[in-house]
Amino acid sequence: MPVPPLSKHRASAGHRRRLAFEDVTSTNTLAREAARSGDPGGLWITAARQNEGRGRRGRAWVSEAGNLYASLLLIDPAPPQHLAKLPFVVALAVREALASLLGDERQVKVKWPNDVLVGGRKCVGILLESERLANGSTSVVIGCGINVAEPPSGLPYQATALSLEGFRGDLESVFEALASAMDRELGLFHRGAGFHHARERWLSHAVGVGAACTVRLTNQTIEGTFEALDAEGRLLLALANGERMPISAGDVFFSGAP
C-alpha cells in the first residue's frame, strides 16, 4: 500500500535537529560522518531510500521508498559500562512508537536482543554502531528501518509492515512517534542509571520468556530455555544440565517465531 513520502527538506521539530534526504548510501553512514566532523549529537538523519542499507553483522538491508529509514547520532550517551544496554532501550522506544501508531499494545512485542515484532512478524530493523572519536568521545548511531508501506521481499523470516496492520498515516507521523518515544526512553534510561526500569518493561513485552529456544553464536549453536534477562541485558539461557549461560550476542530462534 502506498504511503505519502517524507518531506524533502531539512527540518526540525521544536528542539529536534534533523536532516531529511531523498537518496543516501546509508543514514548510519551519514550520522557517523557527522560525528567525525564534530557534530555535538542529538541529530536525526532520515532518507526516503538507502542504496547501501545494512543490518546486524553486515547483512544487507533492502531500503526501497515507502518505508522509514532514520538514524540518531548520540555523543557519549552513557558511560562505557552501560553502552551495551542501549539496544534494549532503543527496542523499547521503537515498540512504544509502533504501539501508539497502531493503537494496539498487545500485538507489538520485542525479541532479544532488539527485534520488534507486530503480530509475531518482524517490522523493524535496528542497528547500533559505536565509535571512539579522535577527541576521546564515543559516538553511538541508532539506525532504525521501519516497514511502513511494505516489508522487503525474499526474507528468510516472516515480516510485516504498518500498512498491513491497519496503519493509515504518513511517514512523518511515524518519524515523530519514533523520535518522541526515543527522547522519552533515553531520558528514562538516564545514562544507564535507569536501566532496571527499562529491563522490567522490556521483559513485560518480550516474546519467548520461559520458552525453549535455539541460540546461534558465531561458532556454535546452543539449545536451552530463555529464562530471563540479567542486569546487564544478557540473555540467561537455562541448559539441560542445569547450568545457566549468559549470552551477550547471538541470534535467537523460537518455534514459530521469526
Side-chain angles (χ1 to χ4, degrees):
M1 179 176 295
V3 174
L6 274 165
S7 57
K8 304 175 183 179
H9 61 275
R10 299 187 178 197
S12 63
H15 66 285
R16 191 171 296 134
R17 300 170 59 233
R18 175 185 171 198
L19 298 177
F21 298 96
E22 280 295 308
D23 290 8
V24 300
T25 53
S26 158
T27 56
N28 265 32
T29 296
L30 294 186
R32 293 176 69 181
E33 292 173 354
R36 294 167 187 163
S37 298
D39 191 276
L43 172 68
W44 280 98
I45 296 178
T46 61
R49 183 185 289 106
Q50 297 182 120
N51 301 314
E52 299 176 13
R54 60 186 182 275
R56 289 193 305 128
R57 302 188 180 183
R59 296 164 181 157
W61 183 263
V62 179
S63 307
E64 293 301 324
N67 297 331
L68 178 66
Y69 311 108
S71 295
L72 172 62
L73 169 63
L74 302 175
I75 302 295
D76 291 328
Q81 67 268 28
H82 293 304
L83 289 179
K85 302 169 184 175
L86 271 174
F88 301 93
V89 177
V90 171
L92 191 58
V94 176
R95 195 220 77 90
E96 294 295 308
L98 267 57
S100 69
L101 290 166
L102 295 173
D104 191 340
E105 287 284 329
R106 295 173 299 173
Q107 285 298 306
V108 188
K109 301 290 186 179
V110 292
K111 175 175 172 282
W112 191 91
N114 60 1
D115 281 340
V116 179
L117 312 178
V118 178
R121 296 177 292 276
K122 188 168 180 175
C123 192
V124 182
I126 297 173
L127 176 65
L128 277 75
E129 297 181 303
S130 62
E131 182 177 342
R132 187 77 166 175
L133 301 175
N135 65 2
S137 297
T138 298
S139 69
V140 176
V141 175
I142 300 169
C144 300
I146 301 178
N147 299 337
V148 181
E150 58 186 75
S153 59
L155 298 174
Y157 49 79
Q158 291 185 317
T160 188
L162 295 182
S163 66
L164 301 178
E165 304 297 332
F167 176 69
R168 296 295 178 265
D170 58 18
L171 286 174
E172 287 295 335
S173 61
V174 178
F175 170 73
E176 287 301 327
L178 171 65
S180 296
M182 199 71 71
D183 285 346
R184 185 167 56 252
E185 295 303 330
L186 288 172
L188 293 171
F189 178 56
H190 196 51
R191 294 178 53 80
F195 179 68
H196 57 291
H197 296 302
R199 174 182 171 275
E200 291 174 0
R201 291 171 55 225
W202 190 94
L203 283 168
S204 72
H205 298 297
V207 298
V209 179
C213 65
T214 300
V215 181
R216 188 175 298 161
L217 307 178
T218 303
N219 56 0
Q220 63 176 319
T221 298
I222 305 171
E223 294 185 352
T225 299
F226 180 8
E227 188 172 276
L229 193 71
D230 73 8
E232 302 304 315
R234 296 175 299 185
L235 182 153
L236 293 180
L237 190 68
L239 306 180
N241 62 6
E243 294 182 10
R244 300 170 78 208
M245 175 181 290
I247 306 292
S248 299
D251 292 319
V252 178
F253 301 90
F254 300 102
S255 177

